[in-house]
Amino acid sequence: MVLNSNRKILVTGAAGFIGAAISKKLLLKGDYVIGLDNLNNYYDISLKKSRLNHIESISNDDKWKFFQFDLEDYHDLDYIFNKYSPNIVINLAAQAGVRYSLENPSSYIRSNLVGFGNILEVCRKYKINNLIYASSSSVYGGNKKLPFRETDPVNHPVSLYAATKKSNELMANSYSHLYKLSCTGLRFFTVYGPWGRPDMAPMIFTRSIIESKPINIFNYGNMSRDFTYIDDITEAIYKCTFKPATIDPEFDPLKPNPSSSNAPHRIFNIGNNKSVELLYFINLLEKNLNKKAISNLKPMQLGDVKDTYADISKLDNWINFRPKTSIEVGVRNFVEWYLKHY
């Protein structure tokens, strides 16, 4: 294995699901990692701390630094960049969750817009040569044409969370255009696996099945998701750290491609390239838990979308990426971890 001895990578949201996973991968590959997270109480802080403990258990102290603060605090952020001089930034910090955005919209404004604006500003100031940031499949909103492609219009978000992620893409493009900042936006599709978020369906369903509690299945189960296993996600992010975004030489301003630019900014779907029926996903959980779910069928919830399905051909062409983990193997691995951890 070739170790990356000269790379300093700053990861925001490092105590989060994807942030912790990519931090571990980078450390195992020999990178120097500076992790940032505010450890907010949106979900169980003890899980976030367990992720950090797991990172520390596999890290060399000289290669891993962690700091707790909000990205809205520009001065702290500037201090970290000035002290550690990262050359790559992976921005995964955000207020997550579609449904929670109905209850607490102001937190999305602060974290996803102000916080991301501060990230862009310090990346500009310190001339970062590769910014990778999290977008979301939720930007496709009410689009009905499947699979979702980056060339599709995304002008009709159905949640504030989706609107902030679309805003991030626009903000990144403007900084890329004005300051030649290389930005890669990744639209994540329903990430699941060990160490996952407890506010997402896999964790909610698993806990409820074990405890013999009903699970709410929206749109009466008539939904599907492009479930993407965490190891596939981190592999794609890792490959993007070696390939900063570039200007698209084929970009035509008369027929602009929404996923590329005449600035060094690219947007990619990152999914499993396969849509799985929600009821089949629940069936896999039942099989691995050896216990039937108690189903509570409900109408579609405000802010949700019926189906997601990622076309990942652009990402495949960019970094030679194809997901390797089937839904059957991914769910088995997730359940094994859940039973061990909890």
Side-chain angles (χ1 to χ4, degrees):
M1 180 175 67
V2 177
L3 298 181
N4 309 312
S5 58
N6 298 317
R7 305 201 316 168
K8 282 189 176 181
I9 303 179
L10 184 138
V11 179
T12 73
F17 178 26
I18 303 174
I22 188 60
S23 294
K24 285 184 285 187
K25 186 178 185 72
L26 294 169
L27 287 165
L28 290 171
K29 293 289 189 178
D31 288 307
Y32 188 109
V33 181
I34 307 108
L36 308 181
D37 203 292
N38 66 358
L39 294 177
N40 67 27
N41 63 357
Y42 168 62
Y43 64 79
D44 183 13
I45 295 176
S46 66
L47 176 61
K48 298 179 182 183
K49 290 181 177 179
S50 292
R51 294 185 188 126
L52 291 175
N53 290 336
H54 188 55
I55 293 172
E56 289 167 4
S57 72
I58 57 95
S59 69
N60 179 327
D61 288 342
D62 293 335
K63 292 274 192 176
W64 166 248
K65 303 295 180 185
F66 176 76
F67 300 91
Q68 179 182 349
F69 62 83
D70 289 310
L71 292 188
E72 299 98 282
D73 189 335
Y74 178 82
H75 296 292
D76 281 351
L77 192 60
D78 183 74
Y79 169 79
I80 296 298
F81 272 71
N82 183 57
K83 181 173 181 178
Y84 291 99
S85 303
N87 43 41
I88 299 170
V89 174
I90 302 173
N91 184 68
L92 302 169
Q95 177 57 62
V98 169
R99 291 167 187 163
Y100 185 63
S101 67
L102 303 175
E103 305 168 21
N104 193 6
S106 61
S107 65
Y108 291 78
I109 303 298
R110 292 193 304 271
S111 181
N112 299 9
L113 298 182
V114 176
F116 186 64
N118 285 343
I119 284 289
L120 288 171
E121 184 57 19
V122 288
C123 285
R124 176 200 65 79
K125 178 179 177 180
Y126 292 95
K127 295 180 170 55
I128 301 301
N129 57 31
N130 189 1
L131 168 62
I132 301 161
Y133 67 93
S135 186
S136 169
S137 63
S138 65
V139 300
Y140 290 104
N143 288 15
K144 301 295 184 183
K145 182 171 68 70
L146 297 175
F148 294 150
R149 293 186 172 90
E150 298 91 337
T151 51
D152 296 337
V154 289
N155 300 318
H156 301 92
V158 296
S159 69
L160 179 63
Y161 171 71
T164 62
K165 288 301 184 180
K166 169 62 175 173
S167 299
N168 287 171
E169 295 178 357
L170 295 172
M171 294 163 71
N173 193 78
S174 66
Y175 265 74
S176 180
H177 172 73
L178 292 169
Y179 308 113
K180 309 308 177 191
L181 175 63
S182 288
C183 300
T184 301
L186 298 175
R187 292 175 176 171
F188 295 120
F189 279 70
T190 314
V191 188
Y192 77 102
W195 300 98
R197 277 178 25 212
D199 64 312
M200 294 185 70
M203 293 273 270
I204 293 171
F205 291 170
T206 300
R207 182 173 62 249
S208 295
I209 292 170
I210 290 172
E211 296 176 355
S212 299
K213 294 179 179 179
I215 59 175
N216 292 327
I217 303 176
F218 294 103
N219 203 36
Y220 308 102
N222 186 23
M223 301 178 77
S224 65
R225 290 289 182 269
D226 194 326
F227 290 99
T228 315
Y229 191 65
I230 184 63
D231 290 0
D232 292 324
I233 289 285
T234 55
E235 179 65 15
I237 297 172
Y238 182 70
K239 286 188 172 185
C240 285
T241 64
F242 292 98
K243 191 170 183 180
T246 56
I247 293 170
D248 182 357
E250 298 180 356
F251 185 80
D252 182 355
L254 296 177
K255 297 178 182 178
N257 178 347
S259 67
S260 67
S261 177
N262 54 3
H265 181 221
R266 303 278 180 137
I267 294 171
F268 299 105
N269 289 337
I270 175 169
N272 199 46
N273 196 216
K274 184 180 293 184
S275 198
V276 174
E277 294 292 333
L278 183 59
L279 293 179
Y280 180 67
F281 184 84
I282 294 170
N283 180 250
L284 288 174
L285 289 175
E286 292 173 326
K287 287 181 178 179
N288 282 277
L289 291 166
N290 196 28
K291 189 172 182 181
K292 291 291 290 182
I294 303 171
S295 300
N296 183 20
L297 300 178
K298 302 189 74 171
M300 180 72 92
Q301 190 171 57
L302 195 65
D304 263 356
V305 296
K306 180 177 176 290
D307 305 298
T308 66
Y309 176 13
D311 182 321
I312 60 169
S313 55
K314 288 182 70 67
L315 188 62
D316 185 20
N317 290 335
W318 183 250
I319 57 170
N320 190 29
F321 167 76
R322 299 296 297 178
K324 298 177 180 178
T325 313
S326 69
I327 190 68
E328 292 80 10
V329 170
V331 170
R332 184 192 68 203
N333 293 346
F334 164 70
V335 170
E336 288 177 354
W337 167 83
Y338 187 97
L339 294 175
K340 181 179 178 181
H341 185 76
Y342 287 102

